[in-house]
Amino acid sequence: MVGTRAFDTECTHLQRQGQLALWVPSVGQEGCQVGLGRAAEPQDHIFPAYREHLVAKIRGVDFVNLAAQFRGLTHGGWDVTDPANGNFHLYTLVLGAQTQHATGHALGQLLDAKRAAADTRLDPGEAGTATGEATMVFYGDGTTSQGDANESLVFAASYQTPQVFVVQNNRWAISVPVARQSRTPLYRRALGFGIRSVQIDGNDPLAAYAVGRRFLDLARTGHGPGYIEALTYRIGAHTTSDDPTRYREDGELEHWQERDPIKRLEAYLRTLGVEDAFFAEVWESADREAKRARDAILNLPAPTADSMFASVYSEPHPRIEEQRAWLERYESSFEGADGTKRGSDQ
Ligand SMILES: Cc1ncc(C[n+]2csc(CCOP(=O)(O)OP(=O)(O)O)c2C)c(N)n1
Ligand SMILES: [Mg+2]
């Protein structure tokens, strides 16, 4: 949690220095992210929104790869087909699209398990197929209003997919408060879809871990989908393009700063007898790691122009090859008579 906090702060500075196009801070939301991220097993798949830096880190995605996307160097930043990236799928900035990716993926997990058991029928409403792996999807309070997010709940309930929906209710969708999105607590909406659901204190990592484990276990053992509303607060701005002082209520920030999940966990650890030296070392190592990430981000290589063709299809495709050849001809048209190159890529 502290490591992510330090990295987040570094990235905000990098954006202010013109080194990142945008940054999306997760400050204040580390409690639910660490608990839920740790609750997942290696074989589970996680579909994030765009603020799940700590979950990414837990799954093995390097902070530097997270920042590469916000530096405009990649369309994603990590290879989702590489198991070293912890089955952590790409950040999704189109609100709610990841809920459909996740439900589709969970449906695939279910079908694979059924096929392995020589059962090829997929009956809506049927439960009981153990899959041994599950899917977890993260989204925000505002995203619960998207059609995609609601359609995903319908399909998850119908097919009893092995998945857990996680809504980080950080109280705001940019400048729109959650009270305007929903007249009822968000977790109660899931009950209307027939999905087991619970509201947790999202600034309590241990609660997030316990409930996350339980819901993922149920999903993996054929007991269908679950929904966790984690009550938390976005202490930072929505992004570096946002100024929350324009819409926050007086005293709101201070109220939540007192409930900062890092402060709360530290207070708890102190009651167990953990001493100053431990906390000092945690903050120092977090700073060292954030500085390492900062240097690495500044030294990230720019992509070559033809890398844009690399992942369009999984296999070679004639139209893509045609476009790649066109780009090569175009680029070489900038070569001068003396063999030197001119143009934007020098
Ligand atoms: C389909 C779509 N509509 C609108 C936007 C613009 N937009 C980006 S973030 C955001 C608010 C999202 O709020 P919430 O779901 O609560 O997530 P949070 O950012 O608070 O984590 C909006 C409206 C978008 N990215 N995609
Ligand atoms: Mg929100």
Side-chain angles (χ1 to χ4, degrees):
M1 292 165 75
V2 171
T4 307
R5 181 74 59 95
F7 165 69
D8 231 317
T9 308
E10 202 61 68
C11 284
T12 300
H13 293 161
L14 283 170
Q15 194 281 334
R16 295 292 184 241
Q17 292 159 10
Q19 298 293 345
L20 298 181
L22 179 80
W23 184 245
V24 188
S26 66
V27 177
Q29 299 182 212
E30 299 93 339
C32 41
Q33 291 194 14
V34 75
L36 293 163
R38 293 263 179 226
E41 295 286 344
Q43 73 274 21
D44 297 334
H45 280 251
I46 299 187
F47 290 76
Y50 41 73
R51 209 187 284 287
E52 282 69 58
H53 312 319
L54 179 46
V55 185
K57 176 77 175 165
I58 289 167
R59 302 299 285 189
V61 175
D62 196 293
F63 278 155
V64 179
N65 290 338
L66 289 182
Q69 183 169 4
F70 294 94
R71 194 162 159 84
L73 298 178
T74 77
H75 294 304
W78 54 96
D79 179 356
V80 294
T81 63
D82 178 356
N85 287 320
N87 296 339
F88 187 78
H89 291 254
L90 291 181
Y91 271 180
T92 305
L93 279 79
V94 179
L95 298 179
Q98 76 276 22
T99 61
Q100 303 235 328
H101 304 156
T103 298
H105 191 87
L107 207 46
Q109 289 172 317
L110 182 61
L111 279 169
D112 281 351
K114 280 175 157 284
R115 203 165 291 136
D119 172 7
T120 48
R121 285 175 318 142
L122 185 64
D123 295 328
E126 182 192 277
T129 305
T131 47
E133 57 179 271
T135 292
M136 182 148 68
V137 57
F138 286 83
Y139 54 109
D141 44 289
T143 303
T144 62
S145 297
Q146 289 286 126
D148 281 2
N150 290 278
E151 289 158 18
S152 299
L153 292 171
V154 171
F155 272 82
S158 290
Y159 289 97
Q160 290 294 291
T161 49
Q163 72 179 118
V164 178
F165 294 86
V166 173
V167 173
Q168 285 178 90
N169 177 358
N170 64 9
R171 317 292 165 130
W172 291 97
I174 313 185
S175 57
V176 179
V178 65
R180 202 166 304 150
Q181 304 274 358
S182 182
R183 306 280 295 182
T184 184
L186 296 172
Y187 80 97
R188 294 188 58 183
R189 284 183 167 177
L191 298 173
F193 287 86
I195 293 182
R196 124 176 31 87
S197 108
V198 69
Q199 185 184 59
I200 62 166
D201 176 348
N203 285 359
D204 178 349
L206 301 177
Y209 178 75
V211 174
R213 275 201 74 115
R214 172 82 181 137
F215 274 41
L216 284 165
D217 276 349
L218 287 169
R220 280 190 222 100
T221 52
H223 295 92
Y227 183 107
I228 300 171
E229 178 191 4
L231 289 177
T232 181
Y233 188 74
R234 195 195 73 211
I235 288 180
H238 171 69
T239 67
T240 46
S241 302
D242 173 47
D243 173 8
T245 62
R246 297 181 59 183
Y247 52 81
R248 267 179 185 154
E249 306 281 337
D250 282 347
E252 187 182 319
L253 180 61
E254 294 70 22
H255 174 89
W256 285 100
Q257 277 170 330
E258 283 167 20
R259 289 156 182 78
D260 181 325
I262 295 181
K263 278 192 202 160
R264 280 179 52 181
L265 190 60
E266 178 174 336
Y268 174 64
L269 290 174
R270 283 186 188 279
T271 67
L272 300 181
V274 179
E275 291 176 356
D276 287 347
F278 170 80
F279 297 106
E281 166 53 25
V282 166
W283 282 100
E284 273 162 34
S285 69
D287 279 344
R288 274 197 305 276
E289 168 71 3
K291 289 205 170 56
R292 180 203 66 82
R294 176 196 170 81
D295 291 344
I297 291 162
L298 292 174
N299 287 310
L300 278 170
T304 57
D306 77 341
S307 62
M308 74 176 97
F309 302 108
S311 307
V312 181
Y313 292 107
S314 54
E315 289 174 11
H317 189 287
R319 296 302 301 274
I320 296 294
E321 288 316 311
E322 218 173 87
Q323 290 172 34
R324 189 202 301 274
W326 182 91
L327 183 71
E328 252 174 54
R329 281 199 303 282
Y330 177 76
E331 290 284 327
S332 58
S333 74
F334 289 97
E335 270 174 28
D338 57 359
T340 56
K341 273 197 157 193
R342 39 195 184 85
S344 59
D345 62 340
Q346 285 188 40

